[in-house]
Structures are given as structure tokens and as C-alpha cells.
Amino acid sequence: MRDPWIIRAVALLVGGLSGAYIPVQGRFWIFGILILLGVRLLFWRPRDFFGRLFRPEIPLLAASLLLGFVYGALAERSLPEPLILDRVEIVGLIKDWNVSKDKVVGLISVEEGEVKGQSYRLTVYPDSLGQFSGEWKRVLPGDYVSFRAHLERPKSLGTPGGFDLRLYYGVRGLSGSMYAQGDAVLLSAGEASLPWKIRQQVRNRLLAWDSEETGVLEGILFGDSSRIPEVVQERYKVTGVLHVFAASGSNVAFVLGFSWLILGFLPMRIRIFGTLLGLLLYAALCGGNAPIVRATILGSALLLGRLGRGKVATLRWLFFAAVGLFIFNPLIIRDLGFQLSFAAAWGIVVLTPRILEGKFFANIPGLLRFAFACTIAAQVATFPLLIAAFHRLSLIGLLVNVFILFILGSVLELGLIGVILSFSGVLSAPLFQASLWLLKGTNIILKMLAELPYADVWVLNPGAIFWIIWYGGIGIVLWGKERALFTLKVRWVYHRRELSIIASKLIERCPWELCHTMQRRLVNFSFSPVVLNRLLVRWGGILLIVFLLWSPWNAQTDLEVVMIDVGQGDAILIRGPEKQAVLIDAGPRSDTFDAGERIVLPYLLNRGIGHLDALLITHEHADHIGGVRAVLDNIPADWVGVPAVGEGLENEEWQEGLPLGLTSQSEKLRMLQVGDQIDLGSGVWLEVLGPHQLLEGTHSDPNNNSLVLKLNYLRQSVMLTADMEQEEMQDIYETGVNVETDIFKVPHHGSKFSLYTPWLDSMYPQAVWISVGKNSFGHPSQEVLKYWEERHIPVFRTDNHGTIQLLLGDNGTEIIPGR
């Protein structure tokens, strides 16, 4: 069915998506094209909507598209500018407050000072004895407090495909984060909200059980995953069911289904409004959790659609809710949680009836049949979004989700009844105990499934062609294949005459007989349904793939060097003209963060890199070798290169960083030494400059035995210096090797111990790079920055510019900062 209001809403949302995702450089041109199309409609082709049959839909759709585009393009202007303030005086109202063993996390609305009127995520850490000082022990939501804090408003996203913290805060109404420095002054005591008191009461009740399932239960009940152990989150992620406490749409869906079920004895209208009331109460219980509120609005729209006459009314309310959320906060159009919730709701409404028509579902019991169909519909609708966002595919996710739908739905329902009865420990304890038993059994099963081979795989970014085929295929299925083919044929017949006239005018001046033959064939050309069907099926998809994947503008003739922003560490990607890919280092790894898994691997997959010609490791420090295992576990490399450090390769740091058993695989592990050249093809090669000899007794032996490389292409070069310090710099310089280069990577993140001026004075680079993040070492040092500033050579830093891309080609060098 065609609903004009749905079409207008779709036009507005499509315009918003276009404005939000089209790069800033291209927005002006797209805006101009839309204006020209509008001028054409109004002045050149007014008969399209002003004639015997009045058709205002066309200008209305054009206006909706243009309005959404402008609104989406300007959305980022609502985000505050990046800012860092240290020991700033804060006076504000505590809105939320969650105490855990190692920290307290809350929300604060600032009432006075430079950032007045903004809300921030506040973290308070204990002292060296593990105690929270002074007044922080007494603080509750509703209190006015004064204290000093370190405040940060995040920078814009610097790495394509990475996690956009600035957008994440903006969608949730936050400006940034801060952590307290010192004690607080309680200015006035307030009254905590009833939902917070209930959540705190439930948390206190759950303290009676010392198990990892209590954090999972809180996540399912309130959409808060902060207390869930990371190993458990990974287990849920691998099996494809992390959404039960991360996306929050599932929480709302469980509550909706539970309320709808227990109110089944009531008349339809009362049942709808009763379920709606249940959703609103649940959103209030979660304390205004932004994803819960968003999912509640979409769920309420589905319920209100039941007041209509069927699917169209439901879809209309769903799109109205999406448009309302977009108008209220245009940033939400780019929020993954909103996209997943909306796509899942659309899939359940539109695809579930078609799935239930399948023969496979005929013999499945009613309740299970509907639940299975809804699960499939939601996953089909969200599949490309999940792939593009996480680059991970759970091969057992569909089966597990059907199982989880019932088990965790039961956990939520038992837990919510326990929440209602939480005023009494005696009444609520059996319900919480039953929920935790179910979760324990679920965790055991998920642990077994997560350990299955290929239960979860990393996948490449499929690109635009995949989105077109996936959602285009869904559209053809919904519209009907026969109808789509018939419509295409009619359109061809309708436009054939115009095409013939145009072709005739172009060819009529051609004297060759071949031109006249082509003209006659074009005029008389027609499709039969059989021919049309064969051409579409056999050649349509092939031509589309060729057009999108092979085209002059996709051809790469430049050498690309990318310094990936991994924080305090190194990760450099070299991409050759023939798609060769070499990775040098893979970023840091610690107990809580692995840059290989969180940053480098997603970046490579987002770029469509599923194979590495080589992976080179400059030295054994964790900020360089740390992410290597995560990368090599998921992307194969032809070989791994390390500096020729002899027996040093057997030390603990090397062994903890290298994949297990790699040292014994001599055919895959190469020891690189001075004079080696690595031919990457297409006239690209790496020259090994260091270590010239093994240095001992230096300021840092691992740093001074780093693998130093010079990348060469078209008489241009890039010096990749790892973490070498003055001792290795001097050792290499005194060999007389040519150290002149076009782009110079400053060694050791800008450390003052790597400022060897004889080497640096002898080169005249066009620009220098520094790979650096938050650190306690003072990197980059002021001496290094001042040196390059005095030489008037531009400095590009990953902490400021994000991921930095360098293109080397016939036209010279071009540096493209990520932000």
C-alpha cells in the first residue's frame, strides 16, 4: 500500500541521512543539485504536478528531501567544540549516581561557570587506599555540589569507522566527561528520584548473590552494562546476543510483549493503552536512559498503530516517531542504536507476515512460529547495519537469538516482578534467585557455543554494492518479482520513444551505414517478458557490480601511507597502487584495551583489507606489538618481519606479543637487517636502515634496536622511524646512508630522547608526523615541537588530527588529516 504520509516521512529521513553522511566537501554540490531539480520542477516541468490532474506530491516530496538534507547537514553544529580544562571549578546538580568498587559514575548538570547549562558524565575515583574521600561518600542524586575537576569535550571522529564519542555524547544530551580532583563541597541536599531509589534498592538486594550473573541481570533489567564483566560481554557478543543489554530495544520489546500478554483479557483499546503505560513506567524506571527512551517511543508508535486498520497505520506511526526523534535531535539519524531499533521495528512489522507465509513455518507451534519469524525479520532488516558497524558476523546468532528470546524474556519478566516486590527481601529473593539460575544456565550454554570453531568471524566491509543488493532484494520481494519486471518493461516502453528521438538526432549527421543500422535497431528494439527477465537476472547484477567496482574513479595509482590513530602507540598501513597491503605495528594492548581488536582490525576491514602481504613489527614494546595477535588471528599475512635482534627475540616481551609458535615458523618469520630491501611491486620498496648493529647499555635498548625503514616510490620517500632514540639515530647517521626524505615520522612519539639534531638538520622534509595519544611521559616534548616550529615545517599529530593519510603520486604528496 502507498501511504503519502509515509512517503513524505521517508523523503525527510532520506534527506537527513544524506545530509549527515555525505562528506562536508560534497554537501554544497549536493545541495546545489537538489535546488536545480526543484527549479526544474517548478519552472521547466510544471505540468508534472499542475495540469488536468493536480499532483502536489512531487513538490512536497522535494521540499521534504531538501529540508531533511539541510537539517541533517547542520546537525553537527549543535555539538560543542572540543575543550580540555584542568582543575576547573564546577557547581552543579547531580542527576544520576552509581557506586561500584573501583569508581562512582554519575551525571551532572553544570549550573555555574564556563560550561554552564551543559551536562557531563562525572567519574569519581577512590584514593590510594581504595576509599572515597569526604563528602563524596554522602552525595546522592538531587544534591548540589561544588568541586574541582578535569573536564574534556571530545574531538570529532578522526578514524573512519571508529567509535565517535562526540556523537555518542551528543545523542544522549551530554557535552563530554569529567573526573573529580579532590573532595566535594555539598552545597545543598536534594531528594533522589523514585526510579533511582528503586534501582538502588534492587542493587542492594542483589548484593546477597556474589556472582557475575548479577551484573547481567542489572543490564537486562535497566539497560546498563557497566557492571557486566568484560569476559561475559565478549561471550554475548560472539554469540550475537549482546543486544539484550546493550541496544536496549530488546528490553523494551520484552516489556511490551510481557505487558501485552498479561493484559490479553482486556478489550483491544484498553489493552493498547495499558501496554503503553507499562512501557512508560519501564522507561521511567530506567531513569531516562536515552536508548531506552528512544526504543520506548518507537515501541509506543507500534502500539498506537494498532488503533488503525492494519499495517499501514502501524508503519505511519513508526515513521512519525522516527521523524519526531529526528526533529527533536537531528544527531540521532547517525546513532547506531536508533538505526538498529528503527530497522528492527520496521522489519518486524513488514517482513514478519511475509516470512510466516513460508512453508517451513506451517508445522511450527503458534507462539514459537511468531517469535522465530520476528527474530528472522529483525535480523534481516538490521544485518547490513551490524556488519558495517561491528565487522563481526555471528554464524550461530540466529539460532541463539531464538533461544535467548524465551530465556532472557523470562529473566526480564521474573526480574521486573522482583523489582516491584523489592521493598521486601523475602518476597523478591525467590524471583531474583530464579532469574539468576536461568542466567547461570544461559551463560554456561553461551560459553560452550562461543568456543565453537567459527562461532563468530570478522568480515570485510561489503561496500555500497552489498547494501544495494540486500535492500533492493528485500524491496523486490515485498513488491513482487512479476510486478517489478512488468513495471520495468512499461517504463522502458514509455521512455523508448524519447530515447529513439534523441538517438536519431545524434546519429542523423553520421554518414556511415553502421550508424543508420544502429538507429533502425534502436527504434525497433523491444523486450518480450521472457527476454526482459533473462536480461535482468543474468546481466543486470553483473553490470551493476562492474559499474560500482570497476570504474575510472575507483582506480588507484597513488601510494597510500596511513598513520592510524591508536592513541599512545604506532600502527602504519602501506597500501600500494595494486592494492598491496603492509602493516607496520598494530598499536597498544593492556588489560582493558586492545587497539588491534578495537581500532586496527575494524579499520582494515572497513577498508576492505582481508589479507596482508606482510606485517612488520618494529620492536617489542606493548604500544607497538600489542595489537598484533588480534590482527593476525583474523587477517592472514604472508609473512611477519622483525628486526634481527638475535637471541633478544626470545625475551618475555617479544614472546607475549608474537602469535604463539611464530618463532619456530622460519618460513613465515623473517629477520630483517640493514641493507635488506622489501619489494612491494609497482615500483614501491622498503629499505631497511636499522638497526645497524645491536646496541646495549643505551637509555632504552628495545627502542634503540627498532626496525627503521625508508619507503620509496616515484623518487619520493617516507622515513618510518619507530621508537629509535639518539643512540640509534647517531649509529645510522654515521654510516653515511641517505637520510633525506619527503615525510618524516618523528621517532618515539616525540620524545626528547629522540632529538638528534645532526640527523634532523641534514633533512628537509615537507612535513613531519607524530603518532601520540594521552600519556604520562610528556610526549611530544616541547623541545621537539619547538625544533620543528623554528624550521617552519608543519607537524601532523594523531592526537590532534586523527588518522593521517598520505598519498604519493605523479603529482607529488598530499596529506589528508582525519579531522
Side-chain angles (χ1 to χ4, degrees):
M1 296 183 182
R2 299 183 63 184
D3 186 322
W5 288 104
I6 291 179
I7 296 174
R8 292 165 193 164
V10 169
L12 186 68
L13 294 174
V14 168
L17 281 168
S18 303
Y21 280 100
I22 290 176
V24 176
Q25 299 87 345
R27 288 175 184 170
F28 176 80
W29 300 105
I30 299 299
F31 181 75
I33 291 172
L34 292 176
I35 292 295
L36 288 176
L37 290 175
V39 170
R40 180 182 184 277
L41 285 175
L42 291 173
F43 297 102
W44 297 349
R45 295 290 297 273
R47 64 178 181 274
D48 285 344
F49 50 92
F50 292 123
R52 293 182 180 179
L53 187 64
F54 182 63
R55 297 176 61 192
E57 191 63 30
I58 294 177
L60 285 175
L61 290 177
S64 297
L65 184 67
L66 185 62
L67 179 63
F69 179 84
V70 173
Y71 202 54
L74 298 178
E76 287 189 5
R77 296 196 174 187
S78 63
L79 293 171
E81 291 298 318
L83 176 69
I84 297 179
L85 297 174
D86 195 55
R87 303 198 68 79
V88 60
E89 290 288 344
I90 298 294
V91 177
L93 171 66
I94 300 294
K95 289 186 173 181
D96 196 14
W97 202 243
N98 295 307
V99 181
S100 60
K101 294 180 180 179
D102 58 342
K103 61 185 175 181
V104 180
V105 178
L107 300 178
I108 184 170
S109 175
V110 181
E111 302 293 331
E112 296 179 12
E114 185 176 343
V115 293
K116 180 180 178 180
Q118 298 177 0
S119 296
Y120 288 82
R121 183 178 186 267
L122 170 63
T123 304
V124 181
Y125 294 101
D127 57 24
S128 58
L129 300 177
Q131 302 294 323
F132 293 100
S133 59
E135 294 295 318
W136 287 122
K137 299 177 182 178
R138 300 171 50 199
V139 169
L140 294 174
D143 292 349
Y144 278 91
V145 295
S146 173
F147 58 96
R148 289 185 177 180
H150 177 88
L151 178 148
E152 288 191 26
R153 295 204 299 243
K155 300 172 184 175
S156 58
L157 181 64
T159 303
F163 178 68
D164 193 341
L165 182 62
R166 191 170 180 232
L167 174 67
Y168 176 85
Y169 282 149
V171 171
R172 286 150 182 80
L174 302 176
S175 297
S177 62
M178 65 174 70
Y179 63 83
Q181 295 175 313
D183 198 2
V185 176
L186 186 60
L187 300 178
S188 65
E191 181 67 25
S193 65
L194 179 61
W196 184 86
K197 290 180 179 180
I198 294 175
R199 294 199 310 273
Q200 198 65 29
Q201 186 171 257
V202 170
R203 184 163 292 167
N204 292 334
R205 299 293 184 199
L206 292 176
L207 290 176
W209 291 272
D210 184 18
S211 67
E212 62 184 20
E213 284 79 22
T214 57
V216 178
L217 181 57
E218 284 190 47
I220 294 172
L221 290 176
F222 307 124
D224 177 15
S225 59
S226 62
R227 294 176 179 270
I228 303 174
E230 189 169 342
V231 64
V232 178
Q233 292 198 44
E234 181 66 19
R235 191 179 304 156
Y236 277 70
K237 186 186 300 182
V238 168
T239 52
V241 292
L242 184 66
H243 58 81
V244 297
F245 42 72
S248 298
S250 298
N251 305 58
V252 173
F254 286 145
V255 173
L256 190 153
F258 179 55
S259 302
W260 187 260
L261 182 64
I262 64 175
L263 298 178
F265 63 93
L266 296 174
M268 179 59 70
R269 287 183 176 272
I270 299 177
R271 188 182 185 187
I272 291 172
F273 286 111
T275 304
L276 183 61
L277 178 62
L279 287 181
L280 296 176
L281 290 174
Y282 179 68
L285 177 65
C286 293
N289 180 311
I292 292 286
V293 171
R294 178 198 63 231
T296 298
I297 293 173
L298 294 176
S300 300
L302 296 181
L303 282 172
L304 293 173
R306 300 283 296 183
L307 295 172
R309 297 181 178 179
K311 184 174 66 175
V312 171
T314 303
L315 281 178
R316 180 187 292 181
W317 278 100
L318 178 64
F319 277 96
F320 280 2
V323 168
L325 288 167
F326 172 56
I327 293 174
F328 178 75
N329 185 353
L331 292 170
I332 204 170
I333 201 76
R334 292 176 53 191
D335 181 62
L336 178 63
F338 167 76
Q339 295 170 2
L340 289 173
S341 295
F342 178 80
W346 175 85
I348 290 172
V349 172
V350 175
L351 301 181
T352 299
R354 298 299 298 268
I355 294 174
L356 287 172
E357 294 173 1
K359 296 181 180 179
F360 173 77
F361 292 89
N363 298 322
I364 300 177
L367 182 60
L368 182 61
R369 179 170 68 244
F370 183 75
F372 194 27
C374 286
T375 302
I376 293 176
Q379 298 223 359
V380 167
T382 59
F383 184 71
L385 287 168
L386 293 170
I387 293 295
F390 301 114
H391 303 290
R392 296 180 74 167
L393 173 62
S394 176
L395 300 181
I396 59 174
L398 179 61
L399 177 64
V400 176
N401 267 281
V402 177
F403 159 74
I404 286 294
L405 180 70
F406 291 96
I407 300 299
L408 296 187
S410 302
V411 169
L412 179 70
E413 290 155 7
L414 288 172
L416 286 178
I417 297 174
V419 169
I420 296 172
L421 300 176
S422 61
F423 62 88
S424 169
V426 175
L427 295 177
S428 61
L431 296 164
F432 289 143
Q433 180 66 78
S435 299
L436 293 172
W437 279 338
L438 285 172
L439 280 178
K440 186 173 183 179
T442 301
N443 282 340
I444 293 173
I445 295 174
L446 292 182
K447 183 178 180 181
M448 294 170 55
L449 294 174
E451 293 172 353
L452 292 175
Y454 302 106
D456 158 84
V457 294
W458 290 84
V459 294
L460 296 174
N461 181 9
I465 182 65
F466 176 75
W467 287 69
I468 292 172
I469 292 176
W470 186 270
Y471 286 115
I474 292 176
I476 291 175
V477 169
L478 294 175
W479 201 22
K481 185 178 69 174
E482 294 79 9
R483 185 179 179 185
L485 292 174
F486 175 77
T487 302
L488 187 59
K489 179 186 176 184
V490 170
R491 290 293 180 185
W492 169 254
V493 173
Y494 178 77
H495 292 293
R496 187 180 62 186
R497 179 176 175 79
E498 292 184 8
L499 290 172
S500 299
I501 294 173
I502 294 172
S504 298
K505 290 181 179 180
L506 293 174
I507 299 175
E508 63 184 2
R509 297 183 181 180
C510 179
W512 301 340
E513 180 61 27
L514 177 62
C515 295
H516 294 288
T517 302
M518 292 175 61
Q519 178 185 10
R520 289 193 300 271
R521 290 184 177 180
L522 182 62
V523 171
N524 298 322
F525 188 57
S526 63
F527 281 130
S528 69
V530 176
V531 173
L532 181 63
N533 187 36
R534 185 173 66 249
L535 286 175
L536 281 175
V537 173
R538 294 185 180 181
W539 298 104
I542 296 176
L543 291 175
L544 183 61
I545 292 174
V546 170
F547 177 76
L548 291 174
L549 299 183
W550 182 86
S551 52
W553 51 85
N554 282 338
Q556 178 182 341
T557 58
D558 292 339
L559 173 68
E560 180 185 12
V561 184
V562 182
M563 181 173 285
I564 306 172
D565 181 11
V566 292
Q568 182 69 7
D570 270 18
I572 298 172
L573 171 67
I574 299 173
R575 197 87 189 272
E578 297 180 2
K579 304 298 183 183
Q580 311 98 312
V582 174
L583 182 67
I584 303 176
D585 293 330
R589 185 186 69 205
S590 65
D591 294 337
T592 59
F593 178 77
D594 186 340
E597 180 180 350
R598 299 284 186 87
I599 299 176
V600 180
L601 184 57
Y603 179 80
L604 296 177
L605 296 174
N606 187 59
R607 293 290 308 277
I609 299 174
H611 170 266
L612 294 172
D613 294 270
L615 192 153
L616 309 181
I617 306 169
T618 60
H619 64 294
E620 65 266 39
H621 280 167
D623 57 336
H624 292 249
I625 198 175
V628 166
R629 286 188 178 181
V631 173
L632 289 182
D633 284 347
N634 296 281
I635 295 182
D638 290 345
W639 57 278
V640 176
V642 298
V645 293
E647 296 180 357
L649 197 64
E650 302 299 325
N651 69 34
E652 185 178 353
E653 288 181 296
W654 274 112
Q655 293 305 307
E656 287 183 355
L658 289 172
L660 297 176
L662 185 63
T663 54
S664 62
Q665 300 175 8
S666 57
E667 72 281 359
K668 191 171 183 178
L669 185 70
R670 298 187 187 178
M671 305 291 182
L672 300 175
Q673 54 189 353
V674 173
D676 287 348
Q677 288 193 356
I678 305 169
D679 186 6
L680 304 181
S682 307
V684 183
W685 81 94
L686 281 164
E687 182 181 358
V688 180
L689 302 185
H692 178 252
Q693 59 181 326
L694 289 180
L695 299 176
E696 297 180 351
T698 66
H699 176 262
S700 172
D701 288 352
N703 288 338
N704 281 303
N705 289 302
S706 291
L707 187 64
V708 180
L709 303 164
K710 189 175 184 180
L711 177 65
N712 301 276
Y713 180 62
L714 296 179
R715 297 183 179 179
Q716 302 170 92
S717 64
V718 181
M719 188 74 72
L720 305 174
T721 59
D723 276 3
M724 69 174 180
E725 296 183 349
Q726 293 178 3
E727 292 90 339
E728 185 176 12
M729 295 178 75
Q730 180 178 356
D731 191 50
I732 295 175
Y733 180 72
E734 290 177 351
T735 65
V737 68
N738 179 19
V739 295
E740 184 58 57
T741 187
D742 296 278
I743 305 295
F744 181 71
K745 175 193 172 294
V746 175
H748 198 188
H749 322 294
S751 168
K752 63 181 180 181
F753 297 109
S754 299
L755 190 63
Y756 182 64
T757 53
W759 176 333
L760 303 180
D761 290 343
S762 67
M763 67 169 63
Y764 300 90
Q766 300 177 34
V768 298
W769 288 1
I770 303 178
S771 182
V772 65
K774 290 183 180 180
N775 64 89
S776 58
F777 308 107
H779 298 162
S781 72
Q782 291 303 311
E783 295 95 322
V784 170
L785 296 176
K786 183 179 179 180
Y787 173 85
W788 295 110
E789 182 182 356
E790 290 176 347
R791 293 190 59 184
H792 305 289
I793 295 176
V795 176
F796 292 85
R797 301 167 45 171
T798 55
D799 59 341
N800 290 337
H801 298 99
T803 291
I804 304 169
Q805 181 186 30
L806 167 69
L807 299 178
L808 297 174
D810 293 326
N811 298 323
T813 61
E814 179 184 7
I815 295 178
I816 305 172
R819 68 169 69 93

